[in-house]
Amino acid sequence: MLLSVLSGFILAASLPLIGKYLKEKWAILFSLLPLSLFIYFLSFQPDISDDKNLLFSYNWVPSIGVDFNFHLDGLSLLFTLLITGIGSLVFIYTAAYLKGHPYLDRFYGYLAMFMSSMLGLVLSDNIITLFIFWELTSISSFFLIGFNNDSEASRKSSLLALGVTGFGGLFLLAGMVVLGYVGGSYSILELMNATDLIQSHPLFVSILVLVFIGAFTKSAQFPFHFWLPGAMKAPTPVSTYLHSATMVKAGIYLLARFTPVLGAHEYWNSTLIIVGCITMVYAGIHAIFRLDLKGILAYSTISALGILVFLIGLGTDDALLAAAVFILVHALYKATLFLVTGIIDHETGTRDVSKLSGLNKVMLPVGIAAGLAALSNAGIPPSFGFVGKDLIYEATLHIGDWAYLLTGAAVITNICLLFAGFLAGFKPFLGKLPVTYENVHLPSPLLYVPPLILASLGILFGILPLLVDDSLIKPVVAAMLNTSSDFFHLQLWHGWSTVLLLSSITIGGGVGLYFILNPSEGLLTKATRFEPISPLSITGKITGLFHGISQGYTSVIQNGYLRYYVITILVFLSFLLGYKIFQGIDLYLNVATLSEITIYEVIVLGIMAVSIVYTVFTKSRLVAVASMGVIGYCICLVFLFYSAPDLAMTQFSIDTLTVILFVLVLYNLPKYLKLSDTGSRVRDGLLALIFGGLISLLTLEVLNEPLEREISAYYAETAYKLAKGKNVVNVILVDFRGSDTMVEIIVLAIAAIGVFSLLKLRLKSIEKE
Amino acid sequence: MKTIIFKTASSYLLPLLLLFAIFILLRGHYLPGGGFVGGLIAAIAFVLHSFANGIERTRGIIKFHPGFLMPIGLSIALCSGLAPLLVGSPFMTGLWYHNPIPVIGMIGTALIFDIGVFLVVIGVVLTIIFTISETI
C-alpha cells in the first residue's frame, strides 16, 4: 500500500534517468502506472462492500504521533478510483495531446507526483500526513498549472493558485493541530469516537473556521473561488485532472471525511449551506456569460463544488447520498467535457464558443462523447446525472424550514449548469460548420477514446444504477455517516412526484435558456462590468498593497550601503538596550566587588585612549588602520590580565590578520579623502558614544547579576574525566560542543567561497569587457 | 616592503612559524592553544612570506590553491566525528588511544578534529587574503 501511494513520486524521481527514452514514442507507457493502481484499488472493492475496515500502518515518526496509516473505506475507495481511473485516461490522452513537447517527460513526472499526493491525501488516516499530502497536491499543481512557463499569464495564475491554496493549507495545518490537541489523537478513526468531546470543547469553533478555510480555498468556494478560472491557463489534461475530478474535490473530500467528526453541528451545517449556496448560484450565473469553453467549464465546476458543499452542509442521509452520487456524476461528465474542449482547442485552435459550430461533421465520435456528457450534466434521463439531480432535490425538499428557498437555489443552479453543459457539449458540434474549420480532421483515437469511455459510463450507470449502488455509493455514505446503513437504492425512475416536476422545470428552463440566450461579446462585457468588486480584483489590490509596502520597506532598510546597515542595527539596539536599562533595572555599581586597578591596566587604557583619538582624527587611512590594530592588541592584553590566554592568542592573530586585510584593501586607494561631511561625522560619533555607553552600562549591570558557577564548574570538573583534556576552552570547542565547531568551520568555508566567487567572478566579467 | 633583511628573514621565519603553529595545535588539549589559533598562526606565516616575496612565490611554495585545504579539513573533521559510529558510540564521541606517543602526546578523535579545524582555518584565511590581494 505504501508503495502504491508513493509510486508516483518514485516514477517522478526516476524520470531524469528514463524520461528521455520514453518521451519520444513510448509516452503512452506512463499510463501503465495509474492503470495498474486502478486495478489494484479496484481489487479492494469486495472488501469494502462487506464493510471491512482496511488499515495499513507504517511507522514514520511515532514519537510525535505522525505515521503513514492508510485507511481504505468507501469514501477513500471512491476517490482512489476516480484519481487512478480518470488519471489513466488523462495519462493516455496526454500522450497524444502533448505529443512531441520537449518537456513531456517532466509533465508526466508532475502528473505522477500529483496523483500520488492525491492518493496519499484520500487514504491518510493520520491528519498530519493528510496535511502533508494536501500541501503536496498544491505544490505539484503549481508546477502543472504553470507548465507553460514561458507565458506570463500562466506563471501568474499558477502563483495565484499556489498562493490561495497554500494560504488555506496553513489554516488547515492549524486546524489539524488544534483538532489533534482537542481530540487527543491524530487519527481520524480515533477522533470519530471523540465527537462529543470535540464538539463541546470551547475550541470547536476555531477548529471549524480553520478547517473551513482550508477546504474552501482548495475547493474554490466563494470568496476564494477566483483562482480556479485562472488555473485554466494550464494544458487541458491538467484542467481535466485537477479541476474536475481530483484536486478541487480535495476540499470536498476533507469536509466529507470530517463529517462524522465535526458534522451534525449547527455551525457546521449553516456555514456550509450558506457558503455552498452562494457559490453554486454565483458561479452558475457567471458560467452563463463566459465565451471561453474552459471558462464556462471552470465556473460550472465551481458551481458544482458549491452544490457538493451545500449537500454536505445539509448533512441529512438523503443529502449525503446525493453528494456521494454527485461526486461521481460530476467527475464523469466534467472530465469528459474538459477532454473534449482540449480536443477542440487542439484541432481548431480556438475555444471561443461563439465561433464554434457544426464540428459533428468532422469529428463525430468527439461530438458523441460531448453530447452524452451534456445529457448527464443536464440530468436528462436516462443519464446518471438524472439520478444525481433527483437525489439533490430529494435532499433539499425534506430539509424543513428552508426547503423552498434552498430548492429554489438548487433549481436555479441546475438550470445554469445545464445551460453551461449544453454550451460546452452541444453548441460546438451542432449547426453549420464554418468554412474555416472544414479541413479540421478527426484526431488520434488516443484523444477521443478517453472522453468517450467516461461519457458512456455516465449513461451506463444511469441505466443500470445497480452497478455502482451497493458496490461504490453505499460504502461512501456509510463512511460519511460512520454507520453501515441500508436504507436506499439508487433508481432511475422514482415515479410521479414533486422531484420529477422539479427536474422537468430544470430541464425545460435550461433548454429554453439555451435557445434564447446566445453567447456573445456583449453579454461578456456586461458581466465584466462588475469586475472591480469581485473577490479576484480585491485580492489583487491587497496583494499589490502588500507588495508596495514591502518594497518601500525593503528599499529603506536594505539600501545597499554598509554604513547605513550598521547605523540601523546600532540605533535599533540602542533603543532596545536603553529602554531595558532605564525602564526595568536599578542602576547601581558596587565598587567593593570590583578588583583593584593595577598599573598595567592604567597604562593599557591610556594607550587605548590615545589610539582611539588617533583613529578618529587622523588624516591618513593607514594610520587609522594601524591604530585600530593597536586598540585590538590592547584588548588582547586586557584578556591576558584576566587570565584568558586562549582568547588573547586568538584575538592577537585575528587582529593581525584584520590589519593585513585592511592594508591590502586600502593600499591602492588614495591616501586620504574626506568623504563624509561634518554633520554625518558628528552623527556617527554621537551614535557610537551612545551605543558604547549603553554597552558599558550593560556590562556593569551584568556584574551585579548573581553569577551561575554551575556550568563552568561542571566543565572544569569533567573536562579531564570525560574528554581527557586539561584546557577546558579547547575541550569545549573540540569535544563538548564539537558539533557547533563543525558547523562553524563549515560557515567559515562558505564565507571564503563567497569572497572568492564574488571577487573572481567580477574579475572575469571585467576581463571579458 | 621588499627589503633584503625582511626577505631573508621571512624564508627562515616561514618554517619556524609553521612549526610553532603545529606546536600550538598539538598542545591545545592541555595548555592554551588549539586548532583555530594554530591555523591562524600558520596562515599569518604564509601571509608574511607573501608580503616579503610576493604572492606568486608563496603560491609556488604551497603548490596548490589554499582553497583545497577547506574540503580536506572539513572531511577530516567530519570523519573524526563519524569514526565513533563504527564502534557503536554516538556521533562525535571522543575516542582515545591509551598510550601517549612521544612528542605528539595523546592521540584521539578530538585531536584529529582539531587538525581538521586547523586546515580549514588556513584554507579560509589564505583564500580570502590571496583573492583580495590578487583582485585589487
Side-chain angles (χ1 to χ4, degrees):
Chain A
M1 180 58 91
L2 185 64
L3 182 70
S4 69
V5 171
L6 298 183
S7 56
F9 293 112
I10 297 169
L11 177 72
S14 60
L15 273 182
L17 299 174
I18 59 165
K20 56 175 176 280
Y21 305 107
L22 285 178
K23 76 175 171 190
E24 297 291 331
K25 280 182 183 152
W26 300 105
I28 190 88
L29 287 182
F30 283 112
S31 43
L32 287 178
L33 173 72
L35 204 60
S36 47
L37 287 176
F38 181 72
I39 295 165
Y40 173 72
F41 284 114
L42 203 58
S43 70
F44 286 109
Q45 189 273 324
D47 293 340
I48 295 296
S49 43
D50 291 348
D51 273 342
K52 266 190 206 156
N53 258 338
L54 299 167
L55 189 64
F56 305 83
S57 299
Y58 305 90
N59 277 352
W60 187 26
V61 198
S63 52
I64 53 168
V66 179
D67 289 311
F68 286 118
N69 291 337
F70 298 121
H71 177 226
L72 194 63
D73 62 0
L75 188 61
S76 343
L77 184 70
L78 175 68
F79 273 94
T80 48
L81 291 182
L82 284 178
I83 292 160
T84 51
I86 294 184
S88 316
L89 298 175
V90 167
F91 271 56
I92 296 171
Y93 180 88
T94 305
Y97 188 81
L98 287 179
K99 196 174 186 156
H101 194 288
Y103 296 124
L104 184 59
D105 49 344
R106 214 180 275 182
F107 187 77
Y108 272 113
Y110 297 148
L111 271 185
M113 256 158 59
F114 174 77
M115 184 180 70
S116 276
S117 323
M118 272 313 287
L119 285 178
L121 169 62
V122 299
L123 286 168
S124 288
D125 175 55
N126 187 296
I127 52 181
I128 300 297
T129 48
L130 186 145
F131 163 76
I132 292 171
F133 284 114
W134 176 281
E135 287 296 63
L136 281 173
T137 62
S138 294
I139 293 167
S140 46
S141 74
F142 167 74
F143 289 118
L144 284 169
I145 296 171
F147 183 65
N148 293 323
N149 54 18
D150 43 7
S151 121
E152 196 193 341
S154 164
R155 291 200 303 268
K156 217 171 166 178
S157 49
S158 62
L159 209 56
L160 184 69
L162 181 71
V164 174
T165 53
F167 166 83
L170 291 180
F171 282 89
L172 182 70
L173 175 63
M176 293 294 115
V177 170
V178 178
L179 182 60
Y181 165 72
V182 170
S185 166
Y186 285 133
S187 158
I188 297 174
L189 286 174
E190 284 170 32
L191 287 172
M192 279 185 199
N193 299 325
T195 309
D196 293 335
L197 178 73
I198 294 169
Q199 299 208 351
S200 57
H201 198 279
L203 283 172
F204 177 65
V205 178
S206 38
I207 297 175
L208 272 191
V209 171
L210 294 169
V211 170
F212 280 162
I213 294 180
F216 290 167
T217 47
K218 197 78 160 186
S219 281
Q221 294 300 295
F222 187 87
F224 303 113
H225 63 278
F226 49 84
W227 67 267
L228 188 58
M232 293 298 143
K233 300 282 185 305
T236 307
V238 177
S239 315
T240 316
Y241 197 28
L242 270 65
H243 306 127
S244 68
T246 54
M247 188 174 90
V248 290
K249 295 249 172 74
I252 306 296
Y253 168 80
L254 188 78
L255 295 176
R257 176 53 81 204
F258 281 108
T259 299
V261 182
L262 304 173
H265 189 281
E266 191 189 340
Y267 294 149
W268 167 276
N269 291 345
S270 44
T271 316
L272 289 184
I273 290 175
I274 293 169
V275 171
C277 225
I278 295 176
T279 309
M280 68 189 195
V281 176
Y282 173 86
I285 293 174
H286 249 284
I288 297 179
F289 296 106
R290 300 291 128 178
L291 288 182
D292 181 1
L293 274 175
K294 270 178 132 179
I296 297 171
L297 292 178
Y299 275 104
S300 73
T301 304
I302 297 174
S303 179
L305 294 168
I307 295 179
L308 284 170
V309 169
F310 167 73
L311 288 173
I312 293 174
L314 290 179
T316 57
D317 295 357
D318 284 340
L320 293 181
L321 171 63
V325 172
F326 192 63
I327 289 173
L328 185 56
V329 171
H330 177 253
L332 289 177
Y333 77 69
K334 193 51 68 65
T336 312
L337 289 178
F338 266 116
L339 291 176
V340 167
T341 305
I343 298 175
I344 296 175
D345 191 13
H346 200 251
E347 299 302 320
T348 66
T350 180
R351 296 196 307 246
D352 188 335
V353 75
S354 59
K355 289 185 188 143
L356 293 163
S357 63
L359 289 177
N360 255 349
K361 293 194 181 68
V362 284
M363 39 169 95
L364 188 62
V366 185
I368 294 174
L372 292 180
L375 281 183
S376 186
N377 172 37
I380 294 172
S383 65
F384 196 39
F386 178 69
V387 182
K389 192 149 40 127
D390 274 8
L391 287 169
I392 296 175
Y393 289 145
E394 194 90 49
T396 55
L397 276 177
H398 295 125
I399 200 65
D401 296 345
W402 296 87
Y404 290 109
L405 186 66
L406 297 182
T407 313
V411 170
I412 294 177
T413 311
N414 273 323
I415 291 177
C416 296
L417 279 187
L418 184 147
F419 175 75
F422 274 24
L423 222 48
F426 284 138
K427 170 84 177 45
F429 295 97
L430 299 178
K432 221 177 119 234
L433 184 69
V435 191
T436 23
Y437 300 139
E438 258 167 13
N439 44 8
V440 168
H441 53 87
L442 187 66
S444 120
L446 290 183
L447 281 179
Y448 69 76
V449 169
L452 213 50
I453 295 176
L454 287 174
S456 343
L457 282 181
I459 301 296
L460 184 68
F461 291 160
I463 300 171
L464 295 168
L466 275 179
L467 282 176
V468 286
D469 182 7
D470 277 350
S471 54
L472 262 184
I473 301 299
K474 202 185 282 179
V476 177
V477 181
M480 281 196 269
L481 289 172
N482 197 18
T483 50
S484 50
S485 55
D486 206 13
F487 59 90
F488 67 87
H489 281 288
L490 294 184
Q491 285 169 323
L492 189 60
W493 180 249
H494 284 270
W496 302 101
S497 63
T498 333
V499 174
L500 190 68
L501 178 69
L502 288 172
S503 265
S504 333
I505 293 177
T506 313
I507 295 171
V511 174
L513 199 63
Y514 176 68
F515 283 110
I516 297 167
L517 213 59
N518 250 329
S520 67
E521 292 286 347
L523 277 175
L524 186 64
T525 14
K526 263 181 211 158
T528 47
R529 203 176 295 158
F530 295 101
E531 207 93 295
I533 53 164
S534 72
L536 175 60
S537 29
I538 292 171
T539 319
K541 270 174 205 150
I542 294 174
T543 327
L545 197 68
F546 198 67
H547 196 108
I549 290 175
S550 40
Q551 198 161 33
Y553 171 84
T554 312
S555 58
V556 170
I557 306 283
Q558 302 280 332
N559 43 30
Y561 291 102
L562 198 55
R563 50 182 177 277
Y564 293 136
Y565 286 175
V566 175
I567 288 180
T568 314
I569 294 169
L570 290 190
V571 167
F572 177 74
L573 275 178
S574 302
F575 271 110
L576 209 64
L577 276 177
Y579 177 78
K580 211 57 200 162
I581 286 179
F582 292 113
Q583 286 291 314
I585 307 165
D586 294 329
L587 276 180
Y588 69 97
L589 181 59
N590 192 352
V591 187
T593 55
L594 298 179
S595 51
E596 277 193 27
I597 299 169
T598 59
I599 181 78
Y600 309 111
E601 287 163 16
V602 175
I603 294 172
V604 168
L605 269 180
I607 298 173
M608 271 166 99
V610 173
S611 318
I612 290 170
V613 173
Y614 234 95
T615 315
V616 176
F617 293 103
T618 180
K619 296 271 174 202
S620 148
R621 266 204 183 94
L622 274 175
V623 172
V625 170
S627 29
M628 288 274 281
V630 171
I631 300 172
Y633 283 156
C634 290
I635 295 175
C636 298
L637 285 177
V638 175
F639 284 149
L640 266 184
F641 291 149
Y642 290 96
S643 53
D646 273 295
L647 204 52
M649 276 169 80
T650 316
Q651 184 78 23
F652 261 122
S653 331
I654 290 285
D655 262 307
T656 314
L657 282 170
T658 315
V659 172
I660 290 173
L661 266 179
F662 262 123
V663 170
L664 276 178
V665 175
L666 297 184
Y667 203 62
N668 289 7
L669 292 176
K671 275 207 173 154
Y672 193 70
L673 262 177
K674 200 180 170 192
L675 285 171
S676 50
D677 53 34
T678 322
S680 52
R681 285 173 77 93
V682 170
R683 177 199 62 198
D684 294 349
L686 269 179
L687 189 62
L689 281 179
I690 292 173
F691 188 67
L694 283 172
I695 291 289
S696 315
L697 282 177
L698 183 75
T699 322
L700 289 176
E701 269 315 303
V702 169
L703 281 182
N704 290 330
E705 293 292 316
L707 201 57
E708 208 46 78
R709 291 225 171 255
E710 221 174 277
I711 299 169
S712 38
Y714 169 80
Y715 279 132
E717 259 178 43
T718 48
Y720 193 68
K721 267 191 241 158
L722 291 178
K724 306 200 192 308
K726 288 177 189 153
N727 176 2
V728 180
V729 177
N730 201 52
V731 168
I732 291 176
L733 279 179
V734 299
D735 197 307
F736 286 118
R737 310 301 303 262
S739 306
D740 287 5
T741 314
M742 183 79 218
V743 176
E744 275 157 21
I745 54 178
I746 292 174
V747 170
L748 271 183
I750 292 172
I753 294 169
V755 170
F756 181 78
S757 49
L758 272 177
L759 291 175
K760 285 285 172 181
L761 290 181
R762 202 188 62 177
L763 201 66
K764 269 183 195 155
S765 65
I766 291 171
E767 273 166 9
K768 263 183 208 160
E769 285 161 12
Chain B
M1 282 198 280
K2 290 180 182 169
T3 64
I4 290 194
I5 298 175
F6 188 37
K7 242 180 166 174
T8 321
S10 75
S11 41
Y12 291 102
L13 275 175
L14 178 63
L16 277 178
L17 278 172
L18 285 181
L19 268 180
F20 180 62
I22 293 171
F23 164 70
I24 291 281
L25 159 74
L26 291 178
R27 80 200 282 260
H29 219 57
Y30 298 99
L31 298 161
F36 194 79
V37 191
L40 287 176
I41 293 172
I44 291 173
F46 283 114
V47 172
L48 189 72
H49 187 266
S50 76
F51 266 42
N53 302 298
I55 284 181
E56 290 312 313
R57 281 281 192 81
T58 318
R59 275 188 177 284
I61 292 176
I62 308 179
K63 299 272 196 293
F64 54 89
H65 193 284
F68 287 110
L69 287 174
M70 295 191 289
I72 295 172
L74 282 178
S75 3
I76 291 178
L78 187 67
C79 288
S80 81
L82 291 176
L85 293 180
L86 293 178
V87 292
S89 319
F91 180 63
M92 295 214 84
T93 316
L95 294 181
W96 294 90
Y97 182 68
H98 291 288
N99 307 319
I101 290 173
V103 183
I104 298 177
M106 293 283 281
I107 293 259
T109 49
L111 181 67
I112 298 173
F113 183 79
D114 230 7
I115 293 174
V117 175
F118 177 80
L119 293 178
V120 172
V121 170
I122 301 179
V124 167
V125 173
L126 289 186
T127 307
I128 293 179
I129 289 190
F130 282 3
T131 311
I132 290 181
S133 55
E134 274 168 10
T135 316
I136 292 168

